[in-house]
Amino acid sequence: MYDSKTLIPSLKEFFNLHPIFSYRYFLGDAGFDSFDNYKYLFSKLGIIPIIPINPRNSKNLPQPTFNSDGIPTCPRDPSLKMSYDGIVREKGRATRIKWLCPMSKKVRLNGKTTYILQCDNPCTSSKCGRIFYTTLDIDFRKNTFFPRNSKKWSKLYEKRPIIEKSISLLKSSIAVDSFKLINTRSIKADVFLGAITQHIGLIITAKLGTFEHPLSLKKLLA
């Protein structure tokens, strides 16, 4: 477990046990260098963090850009999309999306998860390549839970036309797909009458045991 991840839960437990204790400064090594730790120490506890910069977290590193789908790209080559590596949920930290260097692969070796980097011009000294996080609650529009146009995204999104078609058929069957009225009370009456008609059709369908065309009275009575 990394120091950057254990600090917040450790401090929460400490101050629950010792609520009258107060401190002005927190002195930690570079292992505690993370945005969430700074925010928690200063904003929640009023403690000034004294933590050296971790070179791996340095903003001096070339920053990924984003393509039209909101997916971060390689800092060296914007044509290479970073790989979606799941959602990171940790107690006391913001929910984040983890992105992996496009030239790095996540593999299992000897029962352990490790990364293999195959890049001739890496932008970081990390052996696993560049890892980048986007925080969901900073920009929900850009930082989508699933990457746009990913397999998961496409599988879910392809259901949209089916839903729209179902809604269209439902509106058509009760004749509310194109109104010729402008009076809202008349429109409301039409919707109610159409719904009643549809229910009658479904009752007849159930009685006759014919379920092929439950929304079409013409085909039902033919």
Side-chain angles (χ1 to χ4, degrees):
M1 184 67 71
Y2 300 109
D3 290 339
S4 62
K5 297 182 179 180
T6 58
L7 177 62
I8 294 176
S10 297
L11 288 178
K12 284 183 176 179
E13 183 176 355
F14 177 83
F15 283 109
N16 283 335
L17 295 172
H18 309 286
I20 63 173
F21 285 20
S22 62
Y23 301 92
R24 187 175 183 184
Y25 299 105
F26 173 86
L27 279 64
D29 60 24
F32 294 100
D33 178 35
S34 78
F35 174 81
D36 290 316
N37 286 343
Y38 286 102
K39 183 178 180 180
Y40 181 77
L41 286 166
F42 191 76
S43 300
K44 296 291 185 181
L45 301 180
I47 297 176
I48 299 173
I50 307 297
I51 303 171
I53 292 294
N54 186 336
R56 293 184 180 181
N57 297 337
S58 176
K59 294 298 183 182
N60 293 327
L61 293 174
Q63 294 299 303
T65 55
F66 293 84
N67 65 11
S68 58
D69 290 324
I71 298 174
T73 60
C74 172
R76 305 285 195 202
D77 185 356
S79 66
L80 298 176
K81 296 189 297 184
M82 298 189 79
S83 303
Y84 174 75
D85 199 29
I87 298 293
V88 179
R89 295 184 181 89
E90 296 170 345
K91 188 176 181 180
R93 305 189 71 176
T95 300
R96 298 171 297 164
I97 305 171
K98 183 179 180 182
W99 302 93
L100 186 63
C101 170
M103 305 304 292
S104 179
K105 290 186 178 180
K106 191 176 183 179
V107 297
R108 296 282 293 180
L109 291 176
N110 300 322
K112 295 183 179 180
T113 300
T114 187
Y115 297 90
I116 298 177
L117 180 64
Q118 296 177 329
C119 181
D120 297 329
N121 186 25
C123 62
T124 176
S125 59
S126 173
K127 294 181 180 180
C128 60
R130 186 65 177 274
I131 293 178
F132 186 70
Y133 295 92
T134 52
T135 306
L136 284 171
D137 59 4
I138 290 179
D139 190 339
F140 287 101
R141 179 174 175 267
K142 184 172 70 175
N143 303 325
T144 54
F145 202 87
F146 299 113
R148 289 182 175 87
N149 293 327
S150 64
K151 289 183 179 179
K152 182 72 172 179
W153 174 280
S154 299
K155 187 175 181 179
L156 291 171
Y157 195 71
E158 69 184 8
K159 299 180 185 296
R160 186 184 65 88
I162 300 173
I163 296 171
E164 290 190 352
K165 184 177 180 180
S166 299
I167 294 173
S168 178
L169 289 173
L170 181 63
K171 291 166 65 178
S172 177
S173 66
I174 59 176
V176 295
D177 52 340
S178 58
F179 288 113
K180 295 180 174 60
L181 303 171
I182 58 174
N183 185 290
T184 54
R185 289 188 177 182
S186 298
I187 293 174
K188 187 175 181 180
D190 274 7
V191 172
F192 284 164
L193 290 172
I196 291 171
T197 303
Q198 184 174 346
H199 275 78
I200 293 173
L202 291 173
I203 292 172
I204 296 173
T205 299
K207 292 294 184 180
L208 296 177
T210 55
F211 300 98
E212 291 82 3
H213 308 289
L215 298 180
S216 176
L217 289 177
K218 290 182 179 180
K219 292 181 180 179
L220 177 65
L221 299 175

